[in-house]
Amino acid sequence: MAYDVWGVRGLYTSLGDGWTYLNAHDRPQVPEKVASAVWRSVRSAALVPPPEPVLGSHSKQSLGQPEGQLYPEMARVAIADLAGVTADQVILGPSVPALYSALVTAMAPMLRRSSTIVLNPLDRPHLTQRLRRAGLEEKWAQADLATGDLPAWQYAEIADGSTRLVSVPAAHPELGNVVGVSGIVDAVREKSRAWVLVDATAYAPYRPSTWTCGERTWRRWTSRSWAAPTSPR
């Protein structure tokens, strides 16, 4: 069965000019249905929706409120379905760098002068810079130069009782390799009670993101990676 290339291209208004875009891993084109849904949401934000005849886990429970007040909770429910978690475990933000800065600020009470943070060269530099603002002693995990992977065994040697945060990418957007996050988390858990921050942006558009690594683990991604609506910069 041949792949319907032109049928798929027809779903994207921006592809009607015949151009081929090679940066889908960083900024994919927005489908027509997504763009239309965004504009419908903007126009209906001030309207008061009627009560729904059938109740369920995804029904609108609030009555007499503008539609726009329900959007954040509806977004949390949608992300929770993708991640395999509950809506109260989802934190929304204007951008990933802003969330990283908020995380560093929130962790301040648990940080000491002797605390350390484990970074790696595969994370985006602008995100690593946000984590470095915490002012902690830095330890670096090194990537395999042949495969681009992050070997899990080294984390058992790097992490210790002073480690407070470990940053790990779930996949690399350019190389395409998938990092063994579960092995890294297990190695960190053997030596410390550090929080593990997993960047799943390059992983989520291609594989199910319902994997779990236990407690004290954060997963983050930007919906821009799969052409979902995002906040303007």
Side-chain angles (χ1 to χ4, degrees), residues 57-175:
S57 59
H58 289 68
S59 63
K60 300 174 182 177
Q61 302 293 339
S62 301
L63 300 178
Q65 296 183 2
E67 184 83 11
Q69 292 187 11
L70 305 177
Y71 289 165
E73 182 59 28
M74 294 167 65
R76 290 189 180 92
V77 172
I79 296 298
D81 288 346
L82 290 173
V85 298
T86 58
D88 59 343
Q89 295 176 289
V90 177
I91 300 176
L92 304 177
S95 66
V96 173
L99 287 174
Y100 270 50
S101 297
L103 172 62
V104 171
T105 301
M107 292 188 66
M110 68 177 66
L111 303 179
R112 302 294 183 267
R113 290 186 178 182
S114 59
S115 300
T116 61
I117 182 174
V118 178
L119 304 173
N120 68 85
L122 298 184
D123 276 333
R124 294 297 187 181
H126 67 285
L127 299 179
T128 300
Q129 186 62 33
R130 297 294 179 117
L131 298 179
R132 299 181 71 179
R133 292 180 182 179
L136 303 179
E137 178 184 350
E138 300 170 8
K139 295 183 179 181
W140 287 81
Q142 299 302 321
D144 188 318
L145 297 180
T147 64
D149 193 15
L150 283 173
W153 59 263
Q154 62 181 323
Y155 284 87
E157 301 178 357
I158 298 175
D160 54 30
S162 66
T163 305
R164 292 295 177 266
L165 180 64
V166 177
S167 180
V168 179
H172 196 281
E174 282 80 30
L175 299 179

